[in-house]
Amino acid sequence: ETDDQSSAIDSIKTDMQSPVPMDRLLCGDVGFGKTEVAMRAAFKCCMAGRQCAVLAPTTLLVEQHGRTFRERFAEYPLRVDVLSRFRPPLEQSRILHDLADGKIDCIIGTHRLLSKDVHFKDLGLAIIDEEQRFGVVQEEFFKRLRTQIDVLSLSATPIPRTMHLALLGLRDISNLAEPPEARLPIQTRVARYSRDLIRRAVLRELNRGGQIFFVHNRIRRDKANRASIKEMAFELKTIVPEARIVVGHGKMDKDELEDVTLKFLSGGADIFLSTTIIESGIDIPNVNTIFINHADMFGLAQLHQLRGRVGRLNRRQYAYLLFSPDVALFTQGVRKVTAITQN
């Protein structure tokens, strides 16, 4: 652990042993170990005989957490299960039944966990990942939750209201500012869209056995005549015919999306062309290059999250923030994109 992680773990353990319900915000850059700290808290809760619920904003993030928690808890008599739209209805019913009976120690899910048909035998801890991405209805539920059980919120980019509450002392805060050992800073480049740039960067990554994310947040051609994701896939195949490309977006059938994601995870493809569904949830150590197309259309927090999808191995990582050739350099969008290179 880094010193910041050790300090956060100690603070969380102290909070959990207090008679007052914990309400702690854990801040840290993408890849700085928030999930690791959260797993320690979940383990402490479950080994004490109570249940833990982990809430995440996207199905892909839920599946990612499910794999991570299962691997870490495999040697202990703890059952970890996942509740998401990737689970068939019959399996969801079985999970809900076992959860109410106390047979599941740690349940990981989307806002589906907040449904009225979800019952716990003895819930002791709720871990909320990327709390700022949940809606108003969920926020009201979280407020009630904090008066009854321990709540640990994780965020790489806390919204001003959440940070304000922490700074006022109404919520405790732990900050992970120290990068993990051997983590290298991400080389970020802002550039106009260039077929030559894309080809050179992709081939460099392929030559070292890596994989690539390419974010193109347009499922269909829009009013500004930006290409659809299918047209972008054809473009990439033309630019880098050597690369194996898969496409994923939120409008796909759930089984098809799962198959595409698993294919990429297993190394069956070189480039994952997607919308912002990878923003939270897909952490693949072998992916160390990311392209974000039309980056001037994204917010700073979103760019920060997307850029953090790379950089999990101790090798140099690259993030290319691309904007259209016809976009003026002095526009607010381009200035905003350039600002992220300073961080």
Side-chain angles (χ1 to χ4, degrees):
E1 305 88 358
T2 64
D3 291 340
D4 286 346
Q5 282 180 314
S6 297
S7 176
I9 291 166
D10 291 341
S11 297
I12 290 168
K13 285 183 176 179
T14 301
D15 286 352
M16 293 177 72
Q17 291 164 193
S18 167
V20 179
M22 173 177 70
D23 184 9
R24 182 169 289 273
L25 173 64
L26 179 61
C27 291
D29 206 347
V30 178
F32 274 42
K34 297 187 296 296
T35 303
E36 176 62 34
V37 174
M39 283 193 290
R40 306 292 180 94
F43 181 79
K44 180 176 177 63
C45 171
C46 295
M47 290 302 285
R50 303 193 70 183
Q51 292 172 300
C52 172
V54 181
L55 291 97
T58 66
T59 304
L60 290 177
L61 183 53
V62 166
E63 294 294 320
Q64 181 88 35
H65 282 330
R67 285 191 296 272
T68 305
F69 275 67
R70 282 188 180 119
E71 288 172 6
R72 291 298 302 277
F73 294 175
E75 297 181 9
Y76 301 92
L78 300 175
R79 179 178 166 188
V80 178
D81 227 320
V82 172
L83 188 64
S84 75
R85 66 185 178 92
F86 282 169
R87 297 290 180 268
L90 281 177
E91 188 177 351
Q92 289 192 34
S93 298
R94 177 187 58 78
I95 291 172
L96 292 176
H97 183 268
D98 290 350
L99 189 64
D101 283 351
K103 295 178 182 178
I104 296 175
D105 301 288
C106 181
I107 185 73
I108 303 169
T110 58
H111 59 276
R112 173 74 176 85
L113 283 179
L114 307 181
S115 304
K116 292 181 179 179
D117 62 340
V118 178
H119 303 285
F120 295 87
K121 185 177 181 181
D122 187 14
L123 181 62
L125 171 67
I127 298 172
I128 307 169
D129 199 359
E130 296 300 330
E131 182 185 351
Q132 76 277 5
R133 297 193 62 198
F134 286 94
V136 176
V137 175
Q138 287 81 30
E139 276 295 326
E140 290 302 315
F141 184 91
F142 297 153
K143 286 179 183 177
R144 295 195 300 272
L145 207 61
R146 290 188 178 95
T147 63
Q148 304 162 17
I149 63 168
D150 291 333
V151 175
L152 176 63
S153 301
L154 315 180
S155 181
T157 51
I159 56 176
R161 182 179 71 253
T162 306
M163 183 64 80
H164 181 62
L165 291 172
L167 294 176
L168 282 177
L170 300 176
R171 298 180 72 177
D172 295 312
I173 185 170
S174 293
N175 190 35
L176 305 182
E178 185 180 354
E181 187 178 353
R183 181 181 170 97
L184 298 172
I186 300 169
Q187 295 292 306
T188 306
R189 180 177 174 185
V190 178
R192 295 188 185 277
Y193 183 92
S194 162
R195 291 166 62 96
D196 181 59
L197 169 67
I198 293 171
R199 178 169 175 79
R200 283 188 286 108
V202 169
L203 290 180
R204 180 185 59 224
E205 190 60 57
L206 295 183
N207 287 336
R208 62 176 182 173
Q211 293 169 286
I212 301 105
F213 282 140
F214 196 107
V215 179
H216 182 80
N217 204 33
R218 294 290 180 277
I219 296 176
R220 299 179 182 85
R221 182 171 284 271
D222 62 12
K223 294 179 181 178
N225 207 32
R226 297 183 185 91
S228 69
I229 198 165
K230 283 187 177 180
E231 291 170 327
M232 193 68 235
F234 181 79
E235 169 88 346
L236 287 176
K237 287 175 183 175
T238 305
I239 296 171
V240 199
E242 305 94 326
R244 298 166 297 169
I245 302 169
V246 292
V247 179
H249 56 79
K251 296 292 184 182
M252 292 171 64
D253 176 81
K254 62 181 181 180
D255 294 328
E256 185 183 3
L257 178 59
E258 184 177 21
D259 289 343
V260 165
T261 306
L262 291 175
K263 181 178 180 180
F264 187 71
L265 280 167
S266 62
D270 303 308
I271 301 177
F272 188 24
L273 171 61
S274 76
T275 55
T276 53
I277 57 169
I278 67 160
E279 182 181 352
S280 295
I282 298 189
D283 296 326
I284 306 173
N286 199 41
V287 178
N288 284 283
T289 295
I290 184 171
F291 295 91
I292 304 173
N293 201 18
H294 301 299
D296 51 307
M297 304 299 293
F298 293 87
L300 273 177
Q302 223 173 4
L303 288 173
H304 192 69
Q305 284 282 4
L306 288 167
R307 185 177 64 165
R309 293 306 102 202
V310 298
R312 304 297 171 132
L313 280 183
N314 55 346
R315 63 168 69 160
R316 180 63 66 192
Q317 311 91 26
Y318 300 92
Y320 294 90
L321 311 183
L322 307 177
F323 58 94
S324 300
D326 56 346
V327 172
L329 289 172
F330 56 82
T331 63
Q332 184 177 354
V334 175
R335 289 201 303 267
K336 172 185 62 183
V337 171
T338 306
I340 199 172
T341 64
Q342 311 303 319
N343 298 319

